[in-house]
Amino acid sequence: MQENLSDRDWKGWWNALVAFGWWGFVFPLVLLWAKSEGRIEKASVVRWSLELLSLRVVFCVVFCFLLLAFLGRLQQFRQVFQSRQLLVGFLVSAFLIFLNWLGFIVGASMNNLSQASLGYYMGPLFNVVLGYFFLAEKLRRFQFAAVCIAGTGIFWLICMAGEFPWIALCLATSFGFYGLVRKKMQVDSVVGLTMETLYCLPVCLVILVLLASGRDGLVFTEGSSLLRWIVLFTGPATAIPLICFAVAAKRLRLGTLGFIQFIAPTGQLILAMVYDAKPVTGEKLIGYSFVWAAVAVYLVDLGLQRRGVSRGKKDEQASPSSSSTAELKSNNPTE
């Protein structure tokens, strides 16, 4: 019964919708805006990606500590250092999210948002597999059908990509395992994100020092004032959806969380069509249609399950006499 309840946890749903909606529309626009404002040339794609990723982590750490102080959770943050298990767990999750960030920024900088989008379309299937093997999450008939339909669409999209989807695979696997690790760690979401970004901070500072000492310096310091404000915004823009995701991961099944995740790649796909001038061909539209149909089937299953649970509760309330009679019989030793 707990499995069904977690599917209908509305606080989990709202947090997941905010997180994936943000990753689908808001953050890609921030990256594209920063890229155009910074006038990044093709030859410096990797360099710009590393600089933006490092600055993103630095400003996210600052934002997280300010948020911890504002919420009065600094003591909870200190308690993490008393648990070796939590320290190791956050080290693993920090590595996974850092890898995911780097892969996405490289994809966006290389005008390859469509492959980044494919990675997040593949992610839900990884979630289902991980939930089945590591969390014993079972699939109902309609949910299994939804997974098969989505799998067909993803396989079709991979075949139509015409190139090895290395960015997509990196994003799907890193974020899938990240969600699994965060689901197993029952720690406050803000505290957890602060620990993860703190682990990433030394690496990012080294990258910034090396880039600043180079011939071209940092784009951030030599760019326009608007670019500086955009990059500063990447701190809270990173923290807000990850905090929401951590809350959702604790409240929803990994498989359900995965199907909500389809919002993010759909938004990225739309932006890829607009900004990268990569229209969706008829062949790719077939694959996306399978994915969207799978989401519809999954949502229908959740609706049917909710209606069944509600009907069961009404039946229990409508027949209190039968339950009272059964209770009397159980208490009567003569019967």
Side-chain angles (χ1 to χ4, degrees), residues 193-317:
L193 179 58
T194 307
M195 282 298 305
E196 289 167 350
T197 51
L198 201 59
Y199 269 123
C200 298
L201 185 61
V203 178
C204 294
L205 290 177
V206 170
I207 292 174
L208 289 174
V209 169
L210 292 175
L211 293 176
S213 61
R215 181 182 61 183
D216 299 327
L218 294 176
V219 178
F220 175 73
T221 57
E222 298 180 5
S224 64
S225 57
L226 178 58
L227 175 65
R228 295 193 190 99
W229 281 110
I230 294 172
V231 176
L232 280 169
F233 179 68
T234 59
T238 297
I240 291 170
L242 276 173
I243 291 170
C244 292
F245 175 80
V247 173
K250 294 177 185 176
R251 293 176 168 269
L252 298 175
R253 298 170 67 242
L254 204 59
T256 300
L257 192 66
F259 270 82
I260 305 174
Q261 184 180 331
F262 280 123
I263 294 173
T266 300
Q268 293 159 12
L269 175 65
I270 294 171
L271 293 178
M273 294 168 57
V274 175
Y275 285 91
D276 293 345
K278 292 183 177 180
V280 178
T281 62
E283 292 84 359
K284 288 186 177 181
L285 190 59
I286 294 174
Y288 292 129
S289 298
F290 272 96
V291 172
W292 296 328
V295 174
V297 172
Y298 201 92
L299 292 176
V300 167
D301 174 79
L302 293 181
L304 292 173
Q305 194 69 17
R306 183 187 179 192
R307 189 166 63 179
V309 172
S310 300
R311 185 179 300 170
K313 289 182 178 179
K314 287 181 180 179
D315 291 341
E316 289 179 5
Q317 294 173 357

Side-chain angles (χ1 to χ4, degrees), residues 32 35 107-108 110-114 271-278:
L32 291 168
K35 178 192 169 188
M110 293 175 66
N111 289 339
N112 212 340
L113 266 179
S114 58
L271 293 178
M273 294 168 57
V274 175
Y275 285 91
D276 293 345
K278 292 183 177 180

Side-chain angles (χ1 to χ4, degrees), residues 5-27:
L5 289 173
S6 64
D7 275 346
R8 304 192 324 276
D9 189 311
W10 297 116
K11 186 174 181 179
W13 271 83
W14 280 115
N15 277 276
L17 289 172
V18 170
F20 293 123
W22 190 288
W23 284 323
F25 294 95
V26 178
F27 199 75

Side-chain angles (χ1 to χ4, degrees), residues 47-65:
R47 190 180 185 284
W48 167 242
S49 299
L50 288 172
E51 179 181 338
L52 184 57
L53 172 60
S54 302
L55 290 170
R56 179 184 181 185
V57 171
V58 170
F59 295 130
C60 185
V61 170
V62 174
F63 178 79
C64 285
F65 272 108

Side-chain angles (χ1 to χ4, degrees), residues 87-107:
L87 290 174
V88 173
F90 281 123
L91 178 62
V92 174
S93 64
F95 170 77
L96 291 169
I97 199 62
F98 186 86
L99 183 63
N100 186 267
W101 287 339
L102 181 61
F104 182 80
I105 290 178
V106 169

